[in-house]
Structures are given as C-alpha cells and as structure tokens.
Amino acid sequence: MDWITWLIVGVLALVVVVTGTIVLVRRRALPPAQQRPELPAEPESGAETDVVPEHVDAPVAPATTLERPEAPATRMARLRRRLAGSNNPLARGLLSILSSDRLDAEVWDDFEATLITSDLGVGPTQELTEALRRELAVDGVSDPGHAKAVLRHELLNLVGPAMDRSLNLQGADGKPAVVLVVGVNGTGKTTTIGKLARVLVAEEKTVVLGAADTFRAAAAEQLQTWGDRVGVPTVRGPEGGDPAAVAYQAVQRGIDDGADVVIVDTAGRLHTKTGLMDELGKIKRVIEKLAPVTEVLLLLDATTGQNGLIQARVFAEVVQITGIVLSKLDGSAKGGIVVQVQRELGVPVKLIGLGEGVDDLVPFEAEAFVDALLTD
Ligand code: GDP
C-alpha cells in the first residue's frame, strides 16, 4: 500500500474508535432508571386499565455531602424533656393527684376533668380514676413514692406496654418492604417520611422514596430535599399525575436497586370518603402487583385532639392501618390522644414526632412515654 492508502485506513480507524468511545460514555452517564424500559402495570381486570405508569422523572443523584442522623438514645432524652410535668397538661394533671393533701371527691372530680380535657378520653379517664381510687383508698398519697408507682402502673396499662410497636420492614421474597404513609395534609406526612428515611439510613438500610402526593408540587420537592440530604433517591411524577403510577414506579425502582425499604407519600385530601377510598385503594392495589405493602402508617397531628380522631376514623374505614404516627407531640398537644386513638382504631402508636428538627422522630415506647409524663 502506498502512503495515501495508509493515511485513509488510519483516519477511518480513528473515526471508528472515537465514535465507539462516545457511545460508551453516553450510555454510562445515563442513570439506571433511564436505561430501563418503562414497565407498565399489567392490569388484572378491565377496571384498572388506568394504572399504567406515566412518565416519571429520573431519580435524583445523591447529595455530595451526606448528613449523619442522630442516634436513638439522645432522641429519647429529648422526649423526656418535652413531655416533662411542667410542660404538658396531661402530665400536670397526673402529678396533681400526688401533691394533694387529701383525696376527697372534689380532688378526684378535678383529676377526671383535667384528664378528659387532655384528650385521654372519657372511658380511659374513668378507668384510671377508678383504679387509682381503689388502690389509694387506704394509704392515700401519704407515701408519695408508692402513690407514684401505683399511678405509673395504671397509666402504663392504659398505654399498652405489650403492644407490638415495631415497624414491619421485612420485604417478601427478597423484595423491599413497602411503607405507605397516609393522613390529612398538614399533619406531617412528608416531614415524617424524611425523618424516617434518616433513621433507616442510620441503620444502614437502603431506601427509595415515592412522591405519590402529585397534587402539590411542593410536596414532591420537599420530599426530594429530605432524600437528597441522606443520599436517598426520590421517584417523582408530573404534577397532577396519577399517584398510583408514581407509587408503582417507586416500588419498581426499589426492586431494581435491591433496596430494603420503599416509603410512599400520599396526598391527604379529605374530599369525599369514596374519593379517598378509590385513591388509596388504587395505590395499594397497584403497588401490590409488585410487592406487598408491609406497613400502612396513619399520620395524626397530636395537637388537633378530637378532630384528629375523626380523621383517624375515616382513614381506618378506607385502608387497613397498621401503625399510627403522632406528630407534633412537642407543641400544644396534650398527650392523652395516644391512649384514645389506640383504643379507637385498635392499632398501636409506633412513632412520635417531637419537633420540626431533622431528628425529631422517636419510636414510641410505652414505658418511656409514661416516665416522661411523670417526670417532675
Ligand atoms: P404533610 O402535608 O402531611 O406532608 O405535612 P408536612 O410534612 O408538610 O408538615 C406540615 C408542618 O408540620 C411542617 O411545617 C412541619 O415542619 C410541621 N411538623 C411536622 N412534624 C412535626 C412535629 O413533630 N412537631 C412540630 N412542631 N412540627 C411538625
């Protein structure tokens, strides 16, 4: 070959190498979800043809500097401080009995009235009062240590020390656990999911968030911000899109990534009961085409008292709740709602929110709660 032929062969070889490199680099740069074909949900019956996932935004890249969540032990110390006697009306009501000179009818009447106005509910208040009257009938409160122990014992019985409050985070057949979070807007769903993701990350679990509250762009934005801070991806959909499609995509992402837990945020519009039932029912059905929902957490704002209970009843009628999260137990919440809502729904309080701080979420423990209330 003469030198011109060599030159042509050389140039062609260079073009082939450069083109190949560009294709390779571009493929690698795509996030995993974009390499995957969109997986439509196979409808089981004609009634659910509308569950085919729409376009869902590419999951976000993890933040560069990740935060380290606070350890559970120091969170418990905060629980004690925030619920201590002088700060909380229920605690003040309970402790008042111990400082009474004589336990006459008037003292017991006042005690009952305070507990009822502290959201404990009429039934539990009467049970507690009757048990205390019986047990303190002979010695009264002359021995404050004994009286306090009696009060602690009876209160603990009301709160339910034997209830299983652990989150079911055991996915089936190697699939991720799926936690569905429901509740009226403003109760703290998004914030709680963010805090929970931090707790799970601290426990070395891998998490995917699903922003199925597609009615408020801000909700998805807020959720993604929480996720970014601890390196957890958030699957989002178009504003006003089908929430079930986003939930589906999030669980699919969790399965593809081999994640431990997928947490799905939902919109909490208490429009009509049928509307809510249709929406949450559909989300759950669509998710369960991929993996079982292992935990349905109902968010209740502890400061809303009776209103919160009314909301709880509606949600319990439309979806099977497996755990309650009481948010804002730090603020003007009276605390007694813990007992009342458990009675109403027959479901344990599993987590409590104690503030707006990133680590202000604590697993609920009956003993710690009662001890915090009875701290002078
Ligand atoms: P969502 O509409 O149910 O998703 O509610 P958000 O998560 O947006 O929370 C509504 C407001 O409640 C926000 O301002 C949160 O910071 C606040 N919030 C959430 N949990 C707590 C809590 O445990 N204590 C206090 N004090 N505020 C909280």
Side-chain angles (χ1 to χ4, degrees), residues 183-238:
V184 171
N185 285 344
T187 49
K189 285 187 302 296
T190 313
T191 314
T192 299
I193 294 172
K195 294 174 183 172
L196 181 58
R198 293 174 68 85
V199 173
L200 297 175
V201 166
E203 290 171 358
E204 316 268 303
K205 288 193 162 62
T206 48
V207 181
V208 170
L209 302 181
D213 179 355
T214 55
F215 294 93
R216 295 177 306 152
E221 202 62 46
Q222 195 190 344
L223 195 67
Q224 182 167 334
T225 306
W226 278 97
D228 286 354
R229 294 166 79 163
V230 282
V232 163
T234 304
V235 176
R236 297 173 57 172

Side-chain angles (χ1 to χ4, degrees), residues 6 19 61 66 146 152 197 204 210 214 254 273 301 312 318 331 338 348 366:
W6 277 114
T19 317
L66 302 184
H146 171 251
R152 182 184 187 278
E204 316 268 303
T214 55
K273 203 167 98 184
D301 176 339
V318 303
V338 169

Side-chain angles (χ1 to χ4, degrees), residues 115-341:
L115 296 198
I116 288 172
T117 54
S118 300
D119 294 335
L120 195 64
V122 176
T125 296
Q126 281 171 350
E127 282 169 39
L128 181 64
T129 313
E130 275 162 28
L132 290 178
R133 286 185 87 147
R134 204 172 43 242
E135 291 189 56
L136 299 177
V138 180
D139 294 332
V141 287
S142 56
D143 176 352
H146 171 251
K148 194 168 179 174
V150 169
L151 177 57
R152 182 184 187 278
H153 177 76
E154 293 303 333
L155 192 58
L156 196 55
N157 275 347
L158 281 187
V159 179
M163 281 182 153
D164 180 7
R165 300 176 191 278
S166 57
L167 294 180
N168 184 359
L169 299 178
Q170 215 54 53
D173 307 325
K175 289 179 179 168
V178 181
V179 180
L180 193 61
V181 181
V182 305
V184 171
N185 285 344
T187 49
K189 285 187 302 296
T190 313
T191 314
T192 299
I193 294 172
K195 294 174 183 172
L196 181 58
R198 293 174 68 85
V199 173
L200 297 175
V201 166
E203 290 171 358
E204 316 268 303
K205 288 193 162 62
T206 48
V207 181
V208 170
L209 302 181
D213 179 355
T214 55
F215 294 93
R216 295 177 306 152
E221 202 62 46
Q222 195 190 344
L223 195 67
Q224 182 167 334
T225 306
W226 278 97
D228 286 354
R229 294 166 79 163
V230 282
V232 163
T234 304
V235 176
R236 297 173 57 172
E239 195 179 344
D242 183 2
V246 180
Y248 182 92
Q249 289 282 344
V251 175
Q252 184 65 65
R253 172 78 195 261
I255 292 172
D256 291 350
D257 287 4
D260 297 313
V261 187
V262 178
I263 314 177
V264 179
D265 193 9
T266 61
R269 301 167 307 146
L270 259 190
H271 33 324
T272 61
K273 203 167 98 184
T274 0
L276 187 74
M277 195 176 316
D278 288 350
E279 197 167 294
L280 291 179
K282 182 175 163 188
I283 291 178
K284 193 158 181 272
R285 275 196 311 277
V286 169
I287 291 177
E288 293 200 323
K289 288 171 191 291
L290 295 172
V293 172
T294 53
E295 194 68 69
V296 180
L297 294 178
L298 170 68
L299 241 298
L300 284 185
D301 176 339
T303 63
T304 57
Q306 295 305 311
N307 263 339
L309 280 180
I310 295 167
Q311 293 165 12
R313 266 179 231 135
V314 174
F315 276 93
E317 281 171 32
V318 303
V319 64
Q320 202 187 347
I321 314 283
T322 58
I324 299 158
V325 183
L326 274 180
S327 64
K328 312 186 195 182
L329 212 50
D330 52 302
S332 54
K334 296 163 186 159
I337 197 82
V338 169
V339 172
Q340 219 185 152
V341 74

